[in-house]
Amino acid sequence: MLICRTTGTVVSTVKHERLHGRKLLLVRRCSPDGKPVGEPFVAVDTVGAGEGELVIVAEGSAARELDGTRSAPVDATIIGIIDSTAIGGKLSFAKSREAGA
């Protein structure tokens, strides 16, 4: 699983039938404190994430293990929205702190 930040949306009116009705988001891998460290890629949203949120992304065969993505041509799926992260017992990211900033 990866920590990523959603950076935008992807609109595709013509796509594989198993992806109809699924929201596609542009995400970028991040460090646990939310700093970008990777290149953007597309992920299927299964949790209702919004733009700018820190999320958990499953890749590869794990991305196809959900009811909505089973047998779909999916390589990355958003499976969670992160509320906070801690490193060494110290808070490194908090959604509530970011919202107040």
Side-chain angles (χ1 to χ4, degrees), residues 32 81-86 91-95:
I81 299 171
I82 296 174
D83 296 314
S84 66
T85 60
L91 190 66
S92 58
F93 168 81
K95 187 175 182 177

Tab-separated table of all heavy atoms in Angstrom, residues 32 81-86 91-95:
chain	number	residue	atom	x	y	z
A	32	PRO	N	5.132	9.959	4.585
A	32	PRO	CA	4.098	9.892	5.626
A	32	PRO	C	3.618	11.249	6.140
A	32	PRO	O	2.524	11.357	6.675
A	32	PRO	CB	4.778	9.099	6.746
A	32	PRO	CG	5.774	8.247	6.033
A	32	PRO	CD	6.280	9.109	4.905
A	81	ILE	N	-8.985	6.948	3.285
A	81	ILE	CA	-8.642	8.359	3.444
A	81	ILE	C	-7.924	8.477	4.785
A	81	ILE	O	-8.446	8.030	5.816
A	81	ILE	CB	-9.896	9.248	3.406
A	81	ILE	CG1	-10.602	9.109	2.052
A	81	ILE	CG2	-9.526	10.712	3.684
A	81	ILE	CD1	-11.960	9.772	1.976
A	82	ILE	N	-6.747	9.068	4.790
A	82	ILE	CA	-5.924	9.139	5.997
A	82	ILE	C	-6.339	10.305	6.879
A	82	ILE	O	-6.445	11.440	6.412
A	82	ILE	CB	-4.435	9.253	5.612
A	82	ILE	CG1	-4.000	7.988	4.870
A	82	ILE	CG2	-3.563	9.506	6.847
A	82	ILE	CD1	-2.594	8.040	4.320
A	83	ASP	N	-6.562	10.003	8.161
A	83	ASP	CA	-6.862	11.035	9.151
A	83	ASP	C	-5.592	11.568	9.792
A	83	ASP	O	-5.484	12.765	10.068
A	83	ASP	CB	-7.789	10.488	10.242
A	83	ASP	CG	-9.142	10.104	9.687
A	83	ASP	OD1	-9.717	10.893	8.925
A	83	ASP	OD2	-9.617	9.005	10.008
A	84	SER	N	-4.631	10.671	10.071
A	84	SER	CA	-3.368	11.112	10.669
A	84	SER	C	-2.298	10.045	10.476
A	84	SER	O	-2.609	8.879	10.233
A	84	SER	CB	-3.540	11.415	12.164
A	84	SER	OG	-3.850	10.239	12.876
A	85	THR	N	-1.036	10.472	10.583
A	85	THR	CA	0.096	9.559	10.588
A	85	THR	C	1.027	9.971	11.719
A	85	THR	O	1.075	11.142	12.098
A	85	THR	CB	0.887	9.575	9.258
A	85	THR	OG1	1.393	10.896	9.033
A	85	THR	CG2	0.025	9.148	8.088
A	86	ALA	N	1.765	9.005	12.257
A	86	ALA	CA	2.736	9.278	13.311
A	86	ALA	C	4.010	8.505	12.997
A	86	ALA	O	3.954	7.359	12.555
A	86	ALA	CB	2.194	8.874	14.674
A	91	LEU	N	3.228	12.832	15.955
A	91	LEU	CA	2.286	13.137	14.879
A	91	LEU	C	3.021	13.823	13.736
A	91	LEU	O	3.698	14.830	13.946
A	91	LEU	CB	1.164	14.032	15.414
A	91	LEU	CG	-0.027	14.260	14.512
A	91	LEU	CD1	-0.790	12.960	14.293
A	91	LEU	CD2	-0.947	15.298	15.141
A	92	SER	N	2.931	13.259	12.539
A	92	SER	CA	3.587	13.869	11.378
A	92	SER	C	2.589	14.469	10.398
A	92	SER	O	2.944	15.334	9.608
A	92	SER	CB	4.482	12.852	10.673
A	92	SER	OG	3.741	11.727	10.262
A	93	PHE	N	1.349	13.995	10.448
A	93	PHE	CA	0.294	14.551	9.602
A	93	PHE	C	-1.027	14.379	10.332
A	93	PHE	O	-1.285	13.331	10.921
A	93	PHE	CB	0.197	13.816	8.250
A	93	PHE	CG	-1.046	14.161	7.475
A	93	PHE	CD1	-1.124	15.314	6.725
A	93	PHE	CD2	-2.166	13.338	7.547
A	93	PHE	CE1	-2.293	15.640	6.033
A	93	PHE	CE2	-3.332	13.661	6.846
A	93	PHE	CZ	-3.391	14.807	6.107
A	94	ALA	N	-1.838	15.430	10.304
A	94	ALA	CA	-3.201	15.351	10.840
A	94	ALA	C	-4.130	16.103	9.907
A	94	ALA	O	-3.885	17.280	9.605
A	94	ALA	CB	-3.276	15.927	12.242
A	95	LYS	N	-5.137	15.419	9.442
A	95	LYS	CA	-6.108	16.016	8.528
A	95	LYS	C	-6.733	17.263	9.153
A	95	LYS	O	-6.895	18.289	8.502
A	95	LYS	CB	-7.187	15.001	8.157
A	95	LYS	CG	-8.137	15.440	7.098
A	95	LYS	CD	-9.067	14.286	6.750
A	95	LYS	CE	-10.025	14.661	5.656
A	95	LYS	NZ	-10.873	13.536	5.269
